[in-house]
């Protein structure tokens, strides 16, 4: 019997978030308990609208609450990524009016409500800034032991994409990331180190489009726009598809290689603000994992995350293709 992972997808759509939503909505090994949305790639108003559009387009989210959460980072001023995702946050495809409306609950309240009512079997899957998860942890600390694990897209132990040091999701709310990385729950970090290795080439896009469903068409329309901005900004011939790595790993953990590390978030440096400092070589090893949860300077004493260090890109694309093949209309 296949065990289904129950997940809350916390996102800021975003082209790659949208692909993550489409995969999570349809795959039978995942139970999508909710989609919560934060500001990130664009303002909350826009990312929430995009989430509704994509959830509606999936045709699989009629019973999945979609709730808007935090509109601003915890401490820093807001940054968005319009140069990558366009003015709407999801430029490219044209959507009709969404069939789904926003859940009246605040996204942070919904995360708390679902976790508190759970048996500790919910995996949080953040693919945007960690503002909602951090706010939920601060608002209701009793949720921490209820979180089965956090499987997030964010960070890098190599080069950043928004500064030389930092990756966008962590840079957009480093203080929130600090709260999450010190919450004491298992963390799987899918950083740029692996997500940059999965590039949506013209062949990949054509293969998915050939499936013929409206969701496959949506995938290719989104990727065509995304390819243009990624090429302009970074010079890639094919755009890296960051966020769906989280969902692909939940479907088939064999596609990613993980390494245990101590990960800390840089909060004080001007040059490295928002960097995930990853102890790849284990310099800081030792000690049992202990967290001082009383103050902002809580630091993990030992490894606190499983960090992705490699990905089988062909296997990733097969997972994505097979998942989109589950859409029949
Ligand atoms: C991350 O930043 C966003 O622009 C993407 O949606 C992804 O979550 C990659 O750094
Ligand atoms: Ca994202």
């Amino acid at each position: 019997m296949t065990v289904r992972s129950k997940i809350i997808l916390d996102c800021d759509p975003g082209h790659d978030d949208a692909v993550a939503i489409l995969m999570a909505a349809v795959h039978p090994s995942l139970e999508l308990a909710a989609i919560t949305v934060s500001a990130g790639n664009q303002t909350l108003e826009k990312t929430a609208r995009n989430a509704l559009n994509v959830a509606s387009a999936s045709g699989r989210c009629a019973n999945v609450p979609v709730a808007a959460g935090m509109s601003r980072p915890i401490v820093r001023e807001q940054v968005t990524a319009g140069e990558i995702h366009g003015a709407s946050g999801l430029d490219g495809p044209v959507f009709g009016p969404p069939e789904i409306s926003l859940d009246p609950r605040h996204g942070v309240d919904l995360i708390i409500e679902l976790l508190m009512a759970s048996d500790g079997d919910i995996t949080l899957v953040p693919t945007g800034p960690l503002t909602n998860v951090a706010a939920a942890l601060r608002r209701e600390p009793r949720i921490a032991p209820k979180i089965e694990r956090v499987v997030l897209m964010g960070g890098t132990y190599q080069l950043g994409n928004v500064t030389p040091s930092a990756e966008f999701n962590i840079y957009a709310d480093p203080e929130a990331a600090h709260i999450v990385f010190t919450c004491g729950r298992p963390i799987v970090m899918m950083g740029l180190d692996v997500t940059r290795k999965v590039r949506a080439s013209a062949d990949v896009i054509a293969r998915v489009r050939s499936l013929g469903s409206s969701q496959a068409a949506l995938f290719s329309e989104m990727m065509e726009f995304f390819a243009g901005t990624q090429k302009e900004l970074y010079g890639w011939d094919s755009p890296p598809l960051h966020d769906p790595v989280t969902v692909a790993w939940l479907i088939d953990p064999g596609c990613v290689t993980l390494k245990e590390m101590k990960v800390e978030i840089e909060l004080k440096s001007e040059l490295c603000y928002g960097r995930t400092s990853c102890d790849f070589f284990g310099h800081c090893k030792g000690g049992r994992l202990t967290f001082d949860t009383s103050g902002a300077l809580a630091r993990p004493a030992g490894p606190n995350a499983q960090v992705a260090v490699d990905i089988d890109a062909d296997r990733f694309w097969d997972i994505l293709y097979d998942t989109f093949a589950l859409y029949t209309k």
Side-chain angles (χ1 to χ4, degrees):
M1 193 186 76
T2 332
V3 182
R4 294 181 92 204
S5 296
K6 197 187 283 184
I7 68 170
I8 298 176
L9 187 56
D10 183 59
C11 55
D12 64 333
H15 296 74
D16 48 345
D17 302 82
V19 177
I21 293 173
L22 290 170
M23 291 174 72
V26 75
H27 203 279
S29 69
L30 300 175
E31 181 185 334
L32 185 55
I35 298 171
T36 53
V37 187
S38 67
N41 283 321
Q42 266 300 351
T43 58
L44 181 64
E45 194 196 338
K46 293 179 180 180
T47 54
R49 188 191 318 129
N50 296 339
L52 289 178
N53 281 335
V54 176
S56 297
S58 78
R60 305 293 178 119
C61 290
N63 298 317
V64 178
V66 180
M70 300 291 283
S71 64
R72 290 281 190 288
I74 305 271
V75 174
R76 68 157 304 153
E77 79 283 8
Q78 186 160 30
V79 285
T80 56
E83 67 289 0
I84 292 282
H85 299 275
S88 71
L90 191 53
D91 278 12
V94 177
F95 295 94
E99 282 159 19
I100 299 173
S101 326
L102 271 184
D103 190 278
R105 289 166 287 188
H106 191 280
V108 171
D109 291 338
L110 181 58
I111 291 172
I112 293 171
E113 195 180 309
L114 290 171
L115 284 168
M116 290 308 287
S118 78
D119 297 328
D121 58 347
I122 295 182
T123 295
L124 299 182
V125 185
T127 60
L130 290 159
T131 322
N132 283 343
V133 179
L137 280 161
R138 281 296 191 255
R139 180 155 179 179
E140 179 47 276
R142 288 179 302 165
I143 64 170
K146 293 280 202 170
I147 300 171
E148 184 173 39
R149 57 192 168 168
V150 181
V151 179
L152 65 92
M153 190 282 136
T156 174
Y157 57 83
Q158 299 177 88
L159 298 172
N161 61 353
V162 61
T163 73
S165 305
E167 179 280 331
F168 177 79
N169 288 340
I170 307 297
Y171 182 76
D173 199 342
E175 285 75 16
H178 170 78
I179 291 170
V180 174
F181 275 86
T182 55
C183 77
R185 300 306 300 152
I187 293 176
V188 177
M189 173 181 133
M190 304 299 180
L192 297 174
D193 317 291
V194 298
T195 64
R196 272 190 184 127
K197 293 183 183 173
V198 287
R199 307 282 185 81
S201 65
D203 283 353
V204 161
I205 299 172
R207 186 174 169 225
V208 177
R209 192 194 292 113
S210 72
L211 286 166
S213 65
S214 58
Q215 294 82 4
L218 174 56
F219 173 85
S220 31
E221 285 163 27
M222 293 193 297
M223 287 307 102
E224 274 151 19
F225 177 88
F226 200 45
T229 55
Q230 291 276 355
K231 169 99 180 145
E232 226 167 81
L233 244 91
Y234 300 107
W236 315 121
D237 281 332
S238 314
L241 198 55
H242 308 287
D243 294 336
V245 172
T246 53
V247 176
W249 179 79
L250 286 164
I251 293 169
D252 173 7
C255 67
V256 173
T257 309
L258 302 173
K259 184 173 158 67
E260 191 177 64
M261 296 182 209
K262 174 169 167 171
V263 178
E264 295 182 79
I265 312 299
E266 177 53 55
L267 299 177
K268 292 186 178 152
S269 150
E270 229 174 88
L271 278 178
C272 300
Y273 184 50
R275 177 158 182 82
T276 41
S277 168
C278 300
D279 186 15
F280 188 97
F281 290 111
H283 301 297
C284 316
K285 252 213 183 93
R288 204 168 53 82
L289 243 194
T290 51
F291 292 91
D292 169 10
T293 51
S294 61
L297 289 177
R299 291 287 184 207
N304 57 335
Q306 299 282 337
V307 177
V309 294
D310 205 2
I311 186 162
D312 181 337
D314 290 339
R315 191 156 161 182
F316 169 86
W317 289 118
D318 284 344
I319 298 166
L320 185 140
Y321 177 85
D322 291 345
T323 305
F324 272 83
L326 296 167
Y327 284 110
T328 48
K329 69 167 183 77

